[in-house]
Amino acid sequence: DDGGSSGVLRKEKGMIPPGDIRNCLVALADAEKAMTDLFQHRFGRNSGTLSGHSTGNLLIAALVDQSGGDFEAAVRRASDVLAIRGRVVPATLATVTLKAVVEGGDEVSGEVNIVKNGKRILRVFLDPANVEPHPEALESIRTADVICIGPGSLYTSIIPNLLVPGIAQALKESQAVKVYVCNVMTQPGESDAMTASEHVAAILANVGTKIFDYVLLNNGEPGPDRVRALGFYPVVDNLMNESDFVRHDPLRVASRVISLMDKVA
């Protein structure tokens, strides 16, 4: 992440961009809504140097300072503040830049530029490529009963984590129920007009190995046959919640994943 508040903090403080970590912490929080709302508050355009910053990002940055530059310790302290259920662990603690090769062969650097480039993304890669995976991430994958990959931005959220050395191999070797939760909609600048099977094919092409068995699909076209042809088990249901934005209904998704666990068991 090199855009918005996260991008500024990454550049000015040399820290891991906190935005995705913040969102994960809030998603798992048991704290009062007032606290999670505070973490997600974003300063408006007329806020001077604070414009665009998320309060949660600033709080994590402050915790990094208080922890002597230790990002892991900062995340643990933020986890305590939000009373989260579970743990949030980055795939790597290294500072990396996401790069893409787009249609025509041009190379684009940085998440923001990749999404804005306007050309079809052919593949993405990390620079540097040989970063160390987080040991806790590998251990969590090894001991998991079920692993859900996604939903999220295909080329700038899902695939980059899988490119960290050791992550894909750990997923491949895991005996857990492994499910890719495919997005319910395409994303402008990233997955325009891509079908569900093309999402799966893009992951295979970039990662180079099969890392999940099931693909959770929202009802509608294209049908599951193309996903099945790629060697995966399609699980099709109405997974949408349109109460505010078109997104996954968390209870429906959880129900289908649990049913898969029961089926395999």
Side-chain angles (χ1 to χ4, degrees), residues 141-264:
I141 292 170
R142 189 186 68 79
T143 59
D145 295 313
V146 59
I147 298 171
C148 293
I149 300 171
S153 301
L154 177 64
Y155 287 105
T156 58
S157 289
I158 301 298
I159 293 175
N161 288 282
L162 304 174
L163 297 180
V164 174
I167 296 294
Q169 187 63 31
L171 287 167
K172 181 179 180 180
E173 295 173 356
S174 170
Q175 299 302 303
V177 174
K178 293 170 284 190
V179 186
Y180 170 52
V181 184
C182 190
N183 295 347
V184 295
M185 296 183 70
T186 57
Q187 183 175 349
E190 188 155 343
S191 57
D192 304 79
M194 289 181 68
T195 64
S197 60
E198 287 171 337
H199 278 68
V200 175
I203 294 174
L204 276 175
N206 279 269
V207 176
T209 188
K210 185 177 178 181
I211 55 171
F212 48 81
D213 302 304
Y214 298 93
V215 180
L216 201 56
L217 301 166
N218 185 55
N219 280 344
E221 295 298 329
D225 290 343
R226 295 179 185 175
V227 170
R228 189 178 286 110
L230 292 170
F232 300 92
Y233 300 101
V235 181
V236 184
D237 202 349
N238 178 7
L239 304 171
M240 289 175 64
N241 182 334
E242 299 183 62
S243 58
D244 45 8
F245 300 100
V246 178
R247 57 179 55 170
H248 284 88
D249 184 296
L251 294 181
R252 292 176 182 176
V253 172
S255 176
R256 290 316 304 260
V257 171
I258 291 171
S259 70
L260 284 175
M261 293 179 65
D262 293 339
K263 177 182 177 181
V264 173

Side-chain angles (χ1 to χ4, degrees), residues 5-86:
S5 174
S6 287
V8 171
L9 291 172
R10 171 179 175 164
K11 181 179 179 180
E12 294 187 353
K13 291 189 61 61
M15 62 182 285
I16 293 176
D20 287 342
I21 292 285
R22 183 197 77 244
N23 286 330
C24 291
L25 290 169
V26 170
L28 296 174
D30 261 344
E32 294 183 4
K33 187 175 183 298
M35 179 60 76
T36 57
D37 286 348
L38 174 63
F39 256 72
Q40 294 293 60
H41 173 75
R42 193 172 294 275
F43 290 94
R45 294 180 179 178
N46 298 321
S47 301
T49 56
L50 290 176
S51 296
H53 274 296
S54 160
T55 306
N57 287 353
L58 295 176
L59 289 171
I60 292 173
L63 290 171
V64 170
D65 278 358
Q66 291 184 351
S67 303
D70 189 332
F71 188 83
E72 286 185 273
V75 173
R76 287 195 296 269
R77 294 178 66 181
S79 300
D80 292 340
V81 170
L82 292 171
I84 73 165
R85 294 161 287 155

Side-chain angles (χ1 to χ4, degrees), residues 96-97 125-132 163-166:
V96 295
T97 298
F125 59 98
L126 303 182
D127 183 20
N130 296 319
V131 295
E132 289 292 325
L163 297 180
V164 174

Side-chain angles (χ1 to χ4, degrees), residues 81-111:
V81 170
L82 292 171
I84 73 165
R85 294 161 287 155
R87 293 177 298 160
V88 176
V89 182
T92 181
L93 289 170
T95 299
V96 295
T97 298
L98 183 65
K99 295 187 175 183
V101 175
V102 300
E103 200 166 32
D106 291 338
E107 187 176 296
V108 183
S109 180
E111 179 183 358

